[in-house]
Amino acid sequence: MKKMFKTLVSAGAALSLLACSSSGSSSAAGTTASSSAESLYTAGTYTASAAGHSSDVVVTAEFSGSAIEKVELDVSGETETPGQAAAEELISQIMEAQSADIDGVSGATETSTAVKMAMQDIMAQAQGLETSSAETTGLTDGTYTESVQSFGFTGDMTGDVTIQDGKIASIEITSETDSATGQWFSVAQKLLIPRIIEAQSIGVDSITGATTSSGAIKNLVGKAIDEAGGDSTQWRTPVEKSTETVTKEGYDVIVVGLGGSGILSYCAAAQEGASVFGMEAAGAIGGNSVSVYGPMALNSENMKEKYTNGEDYINEDDVYNTWIEYVGTDEKADVIKKAVYNSGSALDYYMDNFDFSFDGLNGLLGSFVVPEWTQEWTVYTADADNTKWYVLGPDHTFQFEHALDKAKAMNENNDYMTELKAEELITDADGNITGVRATYYDGTTYEIYGKTVILATGGFVGNEDMMKEYLGSTVTTIGCTVNKGDGIRMGMSVGGATYAMGTLPMIHISQVPNVIRTDELTADQKAILSALAVTTDMPMVTVNGEPWGNVNQSGTSEETGLSVEIAYAPGFRYYVMYTQEDIDNIKANGLSEAQAAAVVNFVGNGGTLPEAGTPVADIEDIIAVGEKYNNVIKGDSIADLAAKLDVDEATLSETLGGQDGTYYAVICAGWSYGTVGSLDVDENMNVLKEDGTPIANLFAVGQDSEGVCNADGKAYSPWGGQAQSWTFVSGQIAGTQAAAYTGE
Ligand SMILES: Cc1cc2nc3c(=O)[nH]c(=O)nc-3n(C[C@H](O)[C@H](O)[C@H](O)COP(=O)(O)OP(=O)(O)OC[C@H]3O[C@@H](n4cnc5c(N)ncnc54)[C@H](O)[C@@H]3O)c2cc1C
């Protein structure tokens, strides 16, 4: 990363130089100057994008003939901190430098680099410099081996780029270390590489759902271009978008979103003989549903046969009653009954008809609130190599792909497309839903017409505005990149009501908010940093500066681990406070028992913790890097800390017992799997209007209807596997009901 950073800075410096001297006839390798002698720039507004940390960062800049007048950044797809938080500083650096040659913001390296790259592109546009053609690239032929940061906690990507006749001839990724994202990496590799080669541009769009892996591939090719003697900033020509419209009609059922609930709906509709069209925005099917342990299944016949000689293994009435008690109302009793009493049969339906395969956990995992309900939670069986057992990561795709292909083959009219993003419902003059309008990755508009629509877009955790509107704050996410609330928005656009939008997002994991992907810390040091965040033996302070006590999901206060309770914390995060003395003590005497026992599977970043009492001589280095990445905030006094945390000084002082001195606030953030609040549906999964009447040909499943099983202000129904179970239950019901819809 460092090497690339330097290369880019020098490329940027070269461009700035050109900017200063463009009154003469300037040219550079691969560029042709066409600026006028009177002015530096052609006045106007220019836009360019580049791959950032988790999205394509878009820069728009307004130029007069002699200066950059205004800069705007769209970093909405980047992490809230440090990515989005860096935006203002990056804008002022560009304005001050009047060029793309800026320092960037430390801790937000990937976002800064993307802004610089896009700005370099804009500078070239404003100066009338044409992008390189293959003939003028000046690239030296050869094969260049490069390494870049990739996705995940330890992610790293290496590949060979072959330049032949001045063109990108081949790109071969030789290693990608983050196995947990293996699938998304493969998708980016399969789809993006041919597009880069065809367009001879690293300005092609990233693959939806695989933006980080796409960005890494583009960065890797960019490094090779630079090393081959070119200027990668000149290889970012965006690919022209199609303006065509394609119409497809005659379907019985249109499924929007092919994650778990969408595929399961598709399968059930196809099984009933319907003609089905499915669309998926990402480059691959599966959504978050391929990253899970598995669904809850109460008294599945297959599980009973395998484990209990045909005997029931759980009392379903108990589960139902506990559930109604938990949500505190029987308003949605008819739907919750389906969630409970259909969970086993829905799993069996898909095992028997679509070859899904599950095992019981045999006590490996318990239900969160009722630990003895261990057998209610099943897991997907391993893949053929038996290597992907109980692993978090997109590992169950093969089961979903198999089911979808089997369902597609059930009717010759059935079809589905990936990289096709639903935009809106199409309605006729009377407001009746007749189809879905969608955009393909190449810009083509698709109008798909059919009798019914099933919304299965996986909730809204990826939509910042909706998160703030319904939950008051965004949340750090694990997975969930394409879940932007499109289904809920589309349902609402035709009068659909919502239910329990204030249910807390699913959070079972906590750690520092900003994963440090560089090697500035070893994996063991990263584990120590995370342990400082998740330990339960230090004072905890809310984002408002007030004391944070642990309140578990049953509402009782406990001094236990916080990975679930954090869903209740304001802003889904809190600060763990250390005085200077505490840090000195760790240096001399090591971690406490609680700190050394902090959970380190996810939070460990691949490292392990030292035993309690082993001196941590490098604690100051760990804290310093933590500070750099906004995981730790240091205050030289309570007043200083209050100012940095943007909290009331008196409140913070009272919380800290009024004892002044140096403090380190280590941020503990909840990592969310998804949202729960959703469209309101009835027991047929029909979307309901505010007056309670169903929209007959509109259905919602999975996270787009999960709210009906939950309650505002509470964590989601906390029995392990419930969310995934709902994809099976709601998918089977909606697919069957949609197929049966006649329009009469
Ligand atoms: C890492 C992880 C582990 C989990 N573990 C468990 C577990 O063990 N048990 C459990 O019960 N739950 C678990 N969950 C939660 C569970 O995965 C979800 O609740 C469930 O899978 C959601 O299914 P879904 O179909 O609603 O959403 P998804 O599976 O996410 O599918 C939604 C799909 O819609 C697509 N989409 C979005 N917008 C559009 C659009 N405009 N046009 C077209 N397509 C669109 C998305 O790309 C995605 O493919 C876990 C979640 C994660 C992330």
Side-chain angles (χ1 to χ4, degrees):
M1 196 69 187
K2 262 186 197 144
K3 192 177 163 203
M4 183 176 80
F5 189 74
K6 273 192 202 144
T7 310
L8 289 169
V9 169
S10 57
L15 265 174
S16 319
L17 211 63
L18 276 178
C20 297
S21 63
S22 66
S23 53
S25 70
S26 56
S27 67
T31 61
T32 314
S34 60
S35 311
S36 82
E38 289 75 37
S39 58
L40 289 175
Y41 309 114
T42 305
T45 302
Y46 303 88
T47 298
S49 67
H53 166 69
S54 51
S55 68
D56 281 344
V57 167
V58 183
V59 181
T60 305
E62 205 180 295
F63 286 73
S64 63
S66 58
I68 304 170
E69 300 293 344
K70 189 175 167 193
V71 174
E72 282 175 359
L73 305 184
D74 181 353
V75 287
S76 53
E78 297 291 272
T79 52
E80 201 173 355
T81 54
Q84 294 179 19
E88 238 171 78
E89 170 64 18
L90 290 166
I91 291 173
S92 52
Q93 286 186 14
I94 294 170
M95 291 305 290
E96 197 177 317
Q98 283 290 304
S99 87
D101 186 15
I102 56 170
D103 291 338
V105 174
S106 81
T109 319
E110 288 160 290
T111 308
S112 301
T113 303
V115 168
K116 281 157 48 163
M117 283 173 150
M119 193 61 210
Q120 284 161 5
D121 189 341
I122 285 176
M123 298 294 291
Q125 291 180 46
Q127 291 162 56
L129 300 174
E130 283 165 20
T131 310
S132 310
S133 68
E135 291 71 34
T136 59
T137 57
L139 298 195
T140 307
D141 284 359
T143 296
Y144 299 87
T145 301
E146 309 293 346
S147 287
V148 291
Q149 288 287 310
S150 181
F151 191 82
F153 313 121
T154 53
D156 190 65
M157 184 188 286
T158 301
D160 295 334
V161 179
T162 300
I163 306 290
Q164 203 179 334
D165 301 331
K167 290 185 177 178
I168 306 166
S170 74
I171 303 162
E172 194 192 343
I173 306 301
T174 48
S175 82
E176 205 275 344
T177 57
D178 195 346
S179 59
T181 61
Q183 177 194 304
W184 290 113
F185 159 67
S186 310
V187 170
Q189 183 183 33
K190 186 171 126 208
L191 298 176
L192 189 72
I193 289 178
R195 288 179 198 168
I196 292 175
I197 293 173
E198 194 194 331
Q200 288 293 303
S201 169
I202 47 177
V204 295
D205 285 349
S206 293
I207 305 301
T208 305
T211 45
T212 307
S213 295
S214 300
I217 293 173
K218 290 193 235 176
N219 288 341
L220 188 136
V221 177
K223 278 180 86 172
I225 289 169
D226 291 332
E227 202 180 325
D231 175 353
S232 58
T233 64
Q234 301 300 308
W235 286 73
R236 296 186 167 269
T237 318
V239 175
E240 212 172 301
K241 296 281 183 189
S242 158
T243 51
E244 268 178 51
T245 298
V246 173
T247 303
K248 285 168 153 292
E249 48 200 356
Y251 293 101
D252 296 317
V253 181
I254 301 168
V255 180
V256 177
L258 292 176
S261 61
I263 292 172
L264 297 164
S265 302
Y266 188 114
C267 290
Q271 175 87 359
E272 294 299 312
S275 61
V276 196
F277 183 88
M279 63 185 75
E280 168 55 51
I285 57 107
N288 283 321
S289 301
V290 295
S291 305
V292 309
Y293 282 104
M296 167 186 99
L298 309 180
N299 298 330
S300 133
E301 294 300 329
N302 284 298
M303 292 298 134
K304 288 199 293 194
E305 197 179 311
K306 198 163 181 180
Y307 292 107
T308 61
N309 290 325
E311 297 293 315
D312 279 1
Y313 50 80
I314 197 157
N315 183 330
E316 293 169 47
D317 295 341
D318 259 6
V319 177
Y320 172 72
N321 291 330
T322 309
W323 199 316
I324 291 292
E325 202 182 312
Y326 180 74
V327 294
T329 169
D330 58 5
E331 202 174 63
K332 284 287 169 191
D334 51 348
V335 188
I336 291 173
K337 270 187 189 141
K338 299 278 182 193
V340 173
Y341 297 102
N342 285 25
S343 70
S345 61
L347 203 78
D348 289 333
Y349 171 87
Y350 289 101
M351 291 178 86
D352 298 343
N353 294 302
F354 293 96
D355 312 322
F356 275 90
S357 162
F358 295 92
D359 269 319
L361 274 188
N362 291 326
L364 183 65
L365 288 172
S367 154
F368 300 129
V369 284
V370 189
E372 61 272 21
W373 289 352
T374 55
Q375 291 197 341
E376 53 96 19
W377 200 346
T378 63
V379 288
Y380 290 86
T381 48
D383 66 355
D385 304 330
N386 209 34
T387 53
K388 292 179 175 171
W389 185 249
Y390 301 143
V391 180
L392 274 185
D395 292 337
H396 316 303
T397 319
F398 64 103
Q399 295 208 21
F400 282 94
E401 276 172 352
H402 172 79
L404 184 58
D405 286 341
K406 191 167 180 182
K408 181 172 179 258
M410 287 173 168
N411 184 327
E412 61 180 11
N413 295 322
N414 287 355
D415 201 0
Y416 70 87
M417 287 173 71
T418 54
E419 299 191 277
L420 184 62
K421 177 176 178 289
E423 307 287 357
E424 59 185 356
L425 292 170
I426 303 172
T427 51
D428 64 16
D430 298 326
N432 299 313
I433 298 161
T434 55
V436 177
R437 190 168 288 111
T439 312
Y440 194 46
Y441 84 92
D442 69 356
T444 307
T445 298
Y446 275 76
E447 290 184 349
I448 317 285
Y449 291 93
K451 289 184 194 153
T452 61
V453 175
I454 300 177
L455 301 170
T457 65
F460 61 95
V461 79
N463 184 320
E464 199 176 311
D465 292 339
M466 285 178 81
M467 285 296 293
K468 284 185 177 151
E469 179 178 352
Y470 295 108
L471 293 161
S473 171
T474 56
V475 65
T476 314
T477 57
I478 174 169
C480 322
T481 52
V482 198
N483 308 86
K484 296 193 184 301
D486 290 342
I488 297 174
R489 179 180 54 73
M490 286 162 74
M492 289 170 78
S493 74
V494 290
T498 56
Y499 196 88
M501 288 298 276
T503 307
L504 300 170
M506 299 179 201
I507 298 177
H508 296 145
I509 283 173
S510 54
Q511 73 143 8
V512 289
N514 301 308
V515 171
I516 300 168
R517 294 171 204 275
T518 65
D519 55 9
E520 286 161 271
L521 293 181
T522 64
D524 288 354
Q525 288 174 318
K526 290 173 190 173
I528 290 176
L529 184 61
S530 288
L532 297 183
V534 298
T535 188
T536 54
D537 65 345
M538 301 304 295
M540 299 163 198
V541 176
T542 70
V543 290
N544 306 318
E546 290 157 353
W548 166 242
N550 310 346
V551 180
N552 70 17
Q553 292 199 29
S554 338
T556 55
S557 183
E558 281 181 10
E559 290 303 316
T560 58
L562 291 161
S563 53
V564 175
E565 291 86 339
I566 195 170
Y568 289 92
F572 313 117
R573 57 176 57 192
Y574 59 88
Y575 305 115
V576 181
M577 291 294 180
Y578 294 81
T579 62
Q580 185 62 56
E581 204 184 342
D582 294 327
I583 298 298
D584 294 344
N585 187 40
I586 292 172
K587 186 174 181 178
N589 303 314
L591 299 177
S592 67
E593 293 287 345
Q595 288 153 10
V599 181
V600 286
N601 55 0
F602 175 88
V603 300
N605 300 284
T608 51
L609 291 173
E611 280 183 18
T614 310
V616 184
D618 51 358
I619 187 71
E620 281 145 5
D621 300 337
I622 296 171
I623 294 279
V625 178
E627 272 185 81
K628 179 175 167 190
Y629 284 87
N630 287 325
N631 289 318
V632 179
I633 296 159
K634 180 183 175 188
D636 294 330
S637 63
I638 290 181
D640 185 34
L641 188 64
K644 286 178 178 160
L645 301 182
D646 195 20
V647 300
D648 178 57
E649 185 187 333
T651 308
L652 184 63
S653 179
E654 192 182 332
T655 303
L656 296 175
Q659 206 166 338
D660 212 1
T662 299
Y663 280 94
Y664 299 84
V666 181
I667 305 172
C668 185
W671 283 67
S672 175
Y673 301 109
T675 51
V676 180
S678 70
L679 290 164
D680 194 4
V681 294
D682 63 15
E683 59 181 330
N684 295 325
M685 301 306 126
N686 265 128
V687 174
L688 296 173
K689 296 185 204 160
E690 291 292 350
D691 65 7
T693 57
I695 303 174
N697 64 342
L698 185 65
F699 302 82
V701 290
Q703 297 308 122
D704 284 353
S705 64
E706 168 82 19
V708 293
C709 300
N710 289 279
D712 272 320
K714 289 201 168 187
Y716 89 106
S717 43
W719 4 97
Q722 190 276 315
Q724 178 81 156
S725 173
W726 185 244
T727 65
F728 282 81
V729 172
S730 63
Q732 187 192 358
I733 295 172
T736 310
Q737 292 293 327
Y741 176 82
T742 59
E744 284 151 17

